[in-house]
Amino acid sequence: MSAALMPTYARLPVAFRRGRGAWLEDTDGRQYLDALSGIAVCGLGHAHPAVAEAVAGQAHTLIHTSNLYEVPHQSQLGERLCALAGLEQVFFANSGAEANEAAIKLARLYGHQRGIETPEIIVAENAFHGRTLGALTATGNRKAQTGFGPLPDGFRRVPYNDPHAVAAAASERTVALFVEPIQGEGGIVIPDAGYLAALRTICDQHGWLLMLDEVQSGVGRTGRWFAHQHAGIQPDVVTLAKALANGVPIGACMAGGPAAGILGPGSHGTTFGGNPLASRAALAVLDTIDADHLVDRAEVLGDRIVDGFRQALADTPGIREIRGRGLMIGIELGGPCAHLVREAMDAGVLINVTAGSVVRLLPPLILTDDEADRLVHTLTPLIERAARQIAGPSSHQA
Ligand SMILES: *Cc1c(COP(=O)(O)O)cnc(C)c1O
């Protein structure tokens, strides 16, 4: 890596020069099956023609104006997203963290409008909401926070997947609950079936906003447009980013019900957010997901991959759990397995390990059945060996 870059990332020693579908080619011409999609960003894979044409066409027409003017593509995108999510309004930003900052500000303003001077938002342990100061505080990871104090006040943390803990943490100052419907960075943690519905009930009882961070889980990945739709509930605020424009930076904070109409003129802003280029790219993404039935496809593919691993790794000691919702898949080992990232890359597959011991797979929604099977077949022996090592020497006789 160049010394001209701040070394905020420990980068793998590979650079890619082009991509096509689920495949990336490195600068030596080697091909890799991309099972990470740039961390759930390139849901349509690389160099998708519909996105490429939308971006190129818009770049030749008009990249940016300003939110001081009407931006028709942004309006169109807002209407599309509201219809898909059952919400009423959208604020467009440029990233997940920024979408979450908008949600945090919205919740605080909601509190102030109700006479609560020091509003508090309930967040979850093991969460990830981004790296800006508000989002970092909501995230709560000690390691990520160390050295960056003082952090803003007004967050209270409870265990994830525990509605009773939420009720117990309530105070006069509480204005909102903010969680991921599935924790992504936290290790693909899928809560119990009744969790989100229980949160919805608690929020209704107290007049709190139910705010969901769908930055990673949204836009079709889990086999629904939004992961909360598996639970059949209606949140008040939903944030999006990653997959929304297949790699063109964009974020969205959507609001409905009591959360609609809170952020008014002058209360929030952005120079780039929802500009014609990003909005046009996002419209192309939504059109393609619709036309190619990729939401349903994500569910089918996810089941195929999870079933494939469950069969291939059945009875392997050192595997704690294989879980997934659509194409948000985690294979949890009994101990640290970060070395698998490099081993998989050497075997021609790009993956991620998160929370220390969870192999995270976020492949593109355009994967073929053959590619899905190849993913399982290539990774199985690597995961099996790592798991057996973790389980200890006795497991080799199994
Ligand atoms: C990636 C992610 C974020 C942060 O998004 P950025 O675009 O990196 O700011 C926030 N929340 C969740 C759930 C994420 O996965």
Side-chain angles (χ1 to χ4, degrees):
M1 183 179 68
S2 165
L5 301 179
M6 292 191 194
T8 53
Y9 281 86
R11 294 170 197 266
L12 290 158
V14 66
F16 303 105
R17 64 181 175 196
R18 65 167 73 88
R20 187 122 215 117
W23 294 86
L24 281 169
E25 181 182 313
D26 74 10
T27 44
D28 295 327
R30 196 163 172 235
Q31 302 283 330
Y32 302 79
L33 183 56
D34 185 0
L36 189 59
S37 313
I39 318 184
V41 169
C42 303
L44 303 184
H46 302 284
H48 192 287
V51 178
E53 274 161 37
V55 169
Q58 195 60 41
H60 282 288
T61 309
L62 190 65
I63 289 178
H64 178 83
T65 52
S66 165
N67 285 314
L68 297 172
Y69 311 107
E70 294 283 343
V71 182
H73 288 113
Q74 184 186 130
S75 303
Q76 235 180 303
L77 179 61
E79 284 159 22
R80 287 283 292 277
L81 288 174
C82 284
L84 290 172
L87 293 166
E88 293 158 51
Q89 298 176 329
V90 190
F91 175 85
F92 286 105
N94 311 286
S95 66
E98 269 184 83
N100 289 342
E101 291 293 335
I104 292 164
K105 285 181 70 176
L106 188 156
R108 286 182 165 200
L109 194 51
Y110 172 80
H112 282 274
Q113 290 178 359
R114 276 156 189 72
I116 300 171
E117 289 302 315
T118 53
E120 207 164 64
I121 299 170
I122 297 180
V123 293
E125 287 173 6
N126 198 43
F128 185 80
H129 297 296
R131 302 288 198 147
T132 53
L133 281 173
L136 182 66
T137 309
T139 292
N141 179 308
R142 286 273 159 70
K143 201 174 130 221
Q145 290 182 343
T146 299
F148 299 109
L151 296 170
D153 202 2
F155 294 91
R156 187 180 284 239
R157 194 166 310 282
V158 299
Y160 190 62
N161 196 23
D162 183 355
H164 300 295
V166 169
S171 81
E172 302 284 278
R173 299 168 54 191
T174 310
V175 292
L177 250 172
F178 187 34
V179 298
E180 297 155 86
I182 298 174
Q183 289 186 329
E185 306 299 309
I188 314 291
V189 182
I190 304 170
D192 296 339
Y195 179 58
L196 291 179
L199 296 187
R200 179 69 274 178
T201 302
I202 295 170
C203 286
D204 288 343
Q205 284 166 350
H206 294 86
W208 304 340
L209 301 179
L210 178 59
M211 312 204 297
L212 298 180
D213 180 343
E214 295 241 22
V215 166
Q216 189 164 150
S217 58
V219 198
R221 172 155 296 280
T222 68
R224 299 289 184 276
W225 274 104
F226 308 103
H228 70 261
Q229 291 171 338
H230 288 281
I233 56 124
Q234 180 62 60
D236 304 307
V237 172
V238 173
T239 57
L240 300 177
K242 291 192 163 90
L244 186 51
N246 214 55
V248 178
I250 190 168
C253 175
M254 301 192 274
I262 300 291
L263 290 175
S267 61
H268 198 42
T270 168
T271 297
F272 294 126
N275 81 10
L277 186 78
S279 297
R280 179 86 188 275
L283 284 167
V285 167
L286 299 185
D287 284 342
T288 304
I289 290 176
D290 246 341
D292 297 349
H293 309 289
L294 294 178
V295 178
D296 293 339
R297 177 73 184 149
E299 185 160 47
V300 171
L301 271 168
D303 288 347
R304 187 184 184 99
I305 293 170
V306 166
D307 289 348
F309 278 117
R310 282 184 179 155
Q311 272 179 30
L313 295 168
D315 310 319
T316 301
I319 301 282
R320 206 168 263 168
E321 191 181 28
I322 299 168
R323 54 183 178 253
R325 260 284 189 284
L327 290 172
M328 219 172 153
I329 298 168
I331 302 169
E332 184 173 354
L333 276 63
C337 61
H339 60 280
L340 278 172
V341 171
R342 184 59 188 266
E343 288 175 29
M345 192 176 92
D346 292 342
V349 177
L350 303 177
I351 64 163
N352 175 249
V353 168
T354 188
S357 59
V358 181
V359 174
R360 177 169 54 161
L361 305 176
L362 302 163
L365 282 53
I366 49 83
L367 211 65
T368 64
D369 286 349
D370 280 350
E371 287 163 347
D373 295 345
R374 185 181 182 125
L375 183 63
V376 175
H377 293 146
T378 309
L379 293 179
T380 292
L382 307 180
I383 294 172
E384 186 171 351
R385 193 175 54 199
R388 283 184 186 282
Q389 266 163 16
I390 289 164
S394 60
S395 68
H396 290 289
Q397 292 134 32

